[in-house]
Amino acid sequence: WILAYVGGGECGQACRDALHVARQTHMLVNKDADRLSRALIATADCCDRPSLESDYAGLVLIDASDPAQREALAAVLPAGDHTHDLFVIDPLRNIVLRFDARENPKGLLEDLKKLLKLSHIG
């Protein structure tokens, strides 16, 4: 399972807020934390990697800055602005949940715990 944020790479405040929610949620899934990865999918030149690596240890940085990669990504993401969205991706690489990181993160945590409990894959 992957908890992913898709952003332009400059990693402004909205990005950092979403990554913070992802980190906290990852810690709070407790015994299932090893089944969940966190990822930043950067659609432009990625930001300050050393800062990200120190602030968000364990975060996987995925460079999707190539135009073909951005097109492929756009084809699988729902339409709209994803500035504040976190995506839950299952082991088969299906997007199963979109969560607005500005909302109460307890909802994300509850849904994620249910998914992990009911899932027999990953």
Side-chain angles (χ1 to χ4, degrees):
W1 292 83
I2 302 169
L3 189 53
Y5 179 79
V6 179
E10 70 283 346
C11 208
Q13 193 59 47
C15 172
R16 291 191 177 277
D17 290 345
L19 293 178
H20 175 76
V21 168
R23 181 183 62 205
Q24 298 304 103
T25 301
H26 181 255
M27 289 188 318
L28 292 172
V29 294
N30 297 326
K31 66 181 173 84
D32 288 318
D34 62 331
R35 296 175 63 196
L36 181 66
S37 298
R38 294 171 294 120
L40 167 61
I41 302 170
T43 58
D45 292 333
C46 193
C47 43
D48 183 10
R49 285 181 183 264
S51 174
L52 277 178
E53 289 170 358
S54 69
D55 293 346
Y56 305 100
L59 180 70
V60 177
L61 299 173
I62 300 169
D63 183 1
S65 60
D66 181 81
Q69 292 169 325
R70 285 195 307 269
E71 284 181 32
L73 187 59
V76 297
L77 291 177
D81 178 28
H82 303 295
T83 303
H84 302 282
D85 291 343
L86 285 169
F87 294 95
V88 176
I89 303 169
D90 72 11
L92 301 174
R93 304 299 186 240
N94 298 305
I95 296 173
V96 295
L97 181 68
R98 177 172 67 174
F99 178 79
D100 188 329
R102 297 171 294 184
E103 300 294 323
N104 184 347
K106 287 183 182 179
L108 171 63
L109 178 62
E110 290 171 4
D111 289 347
L112 196 50
K113 283 184 174 182
K114 287 177 191 172
L115 283 170
L116 292 169
K117 180 180 179 182
L118 296 172
S119 173
H120 297 288
I121 56 173

